[in-house]
Amino acid sequence: MRACIPLVLAVLCGLAWAGKMESCASRCNEKFNRDAACQCDRRCPRHGDCCEDYKHLCTEDHKESEPFPQPEEETEDALASNLYSAPTSCQGRCYEAFDKHHQCHCNARCQEFGNCCKDFESLCSHREGFSYSSDAISKEEIQSISEKIYRADTNKAQKEDIVLNRQNRISPSETRDQVDHCPKPLFTYVNEKLFSKPTYAAFINLLNNYQRVTGHGEHFSAQQLAEQDAFLREIMKTAVMKEVYSFLHHQNRYGSEQEFVDDLKNMWFGLYSRGKEEGDSSGFEHVFSGEVKKGKVTGFHNWIRFYLQEKEGLVDYYSHILDGPWDSYPDVLAMQFNWDGYYKEVGSAFIGSSPEFEFALYSLCFIARPGKVCQLSLGGYPLAIQTYTWDNSTYGNGKKYIATAYIVSST
């Protein structure tokens, strides 16, 4: 028996070492390691062999705020691979944010740095309101507009509309254990009269239009495409989305409401490929409906979807690691759950918000801070949202789809 102990220890140590080499923890900027399962050196994004947590742990843009662990699968498809042809024109790109992957630029400071696209003068510089500061949206401006959006959400749930049973809170270190700490559902009661409101009804109509497993192409019927337009039409009637458009129009990001709506449809509903088949995913499907890739739940950051799936017996709530500071809705919860046989390690979501509220904040952050942490203020409390761009394909003249968007902090 004693002779077996060294062998067992060696196997356990080997497994621990192998697990460590699948993460960038304590490995940022190390030299290429041919024995590691993935890399953490500065050139790994170029070669496409970074560990899944590389962007979270090793890049400056993602060190700002991360009080609870984020699911590694969120980043694996969002890392830049630059497989598309970078745009060389300003057509459809006037006032867009600086993007280091582009060969030339169309923002208000490109003339200052001498890196404008050749057609910048003819397409952009004469437009009303163009100035050197027009494309730089400050943190303070984002926090101010997010407070306006928060106040404008009159379709949100009231306290009596939702009763939660949060049950057991676990530590971040326990999220990988996949243990069900909560014997009862998360939602004890939801006033389903909320779902008869136009934006809720239009949103719910979209949720079952997708195949959740990546690698299976999405093929929309005429009715399903009409449902996308109906959702956008309904949310644009709300004060929440009017605030967002007004702000972005004032920032010279969009010349008309129709231009804004067209861009929202492309960035959220445009199809791209996360798996082997073309057109198997979109930003909306990933963030709001949820997907399964490599045996893990990815995306799925919406409370309405969660409630409806839990009601059908398809979602099993396990625990939570963060409960937001708000004493009314919308609130924030970061939870662990099983979705019909697949585990979600950390799923952050607003609770009790209207569909237009979430759509507005995620869109705002993606447009103003694409691929970065976006610092908001809601009801006097800070909140951070992380977005990622999909870099393997584009729409229009080099514009990027939404890969994902989710809450990373409420402190």
Side-chain angles (χ1 to χ4, degrees), residues 22-322:
E22 292 180 358
S23 168
C24 282
S26 302
R27 293 177 57 208
C28 291
N29 301 322
E30 71 172 12
K31 293 182 179 180
F32 174 78
N33 186 340
R34 67 176 64 253
D35 296 320
C38 54
Q39 306 299 324
C40 306
D41 61 284
R42 290 188 176 91
R43 301 186 68 181
C44 71
R46 183 184 305 176
H47 296 287
D49 57 359
C50 299
C51 295
E52 292 179 351
D53 55 5
Y54 170 81
K55 201 163 188 176
H56 280 297
L57 297 180
C58 302
T59 61
E60 289 300 323
D61 289 341
H62 306 99
K63 293 180 180 178
E64 297 181 33
S65 175
E66 200 171 33
F68 57 87
Q70 291 305 308
E72 295 176 356
E73 67 269 14
E74 293 288 8
T75 63
E76 68 173 308
D77 290 324
L79 292 172
S81 61
N82 304 315
L83 297 180
Y84 69 95
S85 178
T88 59
S89 169
C90 284
Q91 185 68 43
R93 295 175 54 213
C94 293
Y95 313 117
E96 74 171 8
F98 173 80
D99 188 320
K100 65 182 179 181
H101 301 304
H102 287 176
Q103 297 176 13
C104 60
H105 303 278
C106 307
N107 58 70
R109 302 192 68 187
C110 70
Q111 290 177 314
E112 180 181 345
F113 291 96
N115 56 10
C116 298
C117 295
K118 291 182 179 179
D119 55 5
F120 171 79
E121 286 286 342
S122 60
L123 294 180
C124 301
S125 63
H126 66 283
R127 289 178 64 168
E128 182 180 357
F130 194 94
S131 68
Y132 279 134
S133 62
S134 65
D135 75 326
I137 301 178
S138 69
K139 176 181 176 181
E140 290 72 25
E141 287 174 313
I142 293 176
Q143 290 177 330
S144 176
I145 184 59
S146 61
E147 284 288 2
K148 290 182 180 179
I149 293 169
Y150 180 79
R151 293 192 295 270
D153 189 17
T154 56
N155 277 337
K156 67 183 179 181
Q158 302 303 310
K159 279 188 176 182
E160 62 272 17
D161 289 328
I162 299 175
V163 178
L164 292 179
N165 187 0
R166 295 173 178 82
Q167 299 165 80
N168 290 315
R169 180 171 181 169
I170 64 172
S171 68
S173 63
E174 297 176 89
T175 59
R176 293 178 182 269
D177 296 342
Q178 301 191 31
V179 175
D180 188 351
H181 297 275
C182 301
K184 296 182 179 180
L186 172 64
F187 287 95
T188 300
Y189 169 77
V190 172
N191 180 5
E192 293 194 4
K193 289 182 180 180
L194 286 169
F195 301 157
S196 64
K197 293 185 176 184
T199 58
Y200 284 80
F203 175 79
I204 291 171
N205 283 340
L206 295 170
L207 295 177
N208 292 323
N209 291 348
Y210 300 97
Q211 301 182 67
R212 68 173 184 170
V213 178
T214 60
H216 299 277
E218 304 291 354
H219 304 285
F220 299 125
S221 67
Q223 174 63 32
Q224 290 171 332
L225 291 172
E227 288 171 354
Q228 296 174 6
D229 292 331
F231 172 69
L232 292 171
R233 187 165 56 250
E234 289 300 332
I235 65 172
M236 287 306 299
K237 296 176 184 177
T238 67
V240 164
M241 290 302 293
K242 289 184 183 300
E243 285 283 3
V244 178
Y245 168 67
S246 177
F247 174 76
L248 293 172
H249 177 69
H250 179 73
Q251 294 286 336
N252 294 312
R253 296 303 178 95
Y254 297 98
S256 68
E257 185 173 304
Q258 189 59 52
E259 181 186 356
F260 177 51
V261 173
D262 290 344
D263 201 32
L264 289 175
K265 184 171 183 179
N266 279 312
M267 71 174 69
W268 278 106
F269 294 101
L271 294 174
Y272 48 80
S273 178
R274 290 182 193 265
K276 296 179 180 179
E277 188 166 341
E278 287 296 321
D280 68 344
S281 184
S282 69
F284 184 91
E285 176 184 7
H286 183 85
V287 173
F288 294 106
S289 184
E291 296 180 299
V292 172
K293 183 173 182 180
K294 297 180 181 178
K296 295 181 179 180
V297 177
T298 65
F300 203 135
H301 299 288
N302 178 256
W303 75 271
I304 299 172
R305 175 68 162 168
F306 189 102
Y307 165 72
L308 293 174
Q309 292 286 281
E310 186 177 63
K311 183 181 177 182
E312 290 185 28
L314 298 175
V315 161
D316 184 2
Y317 171 61
Y318 277 17
S319 55
H320 70 281
I321 59 170
L322 179 140

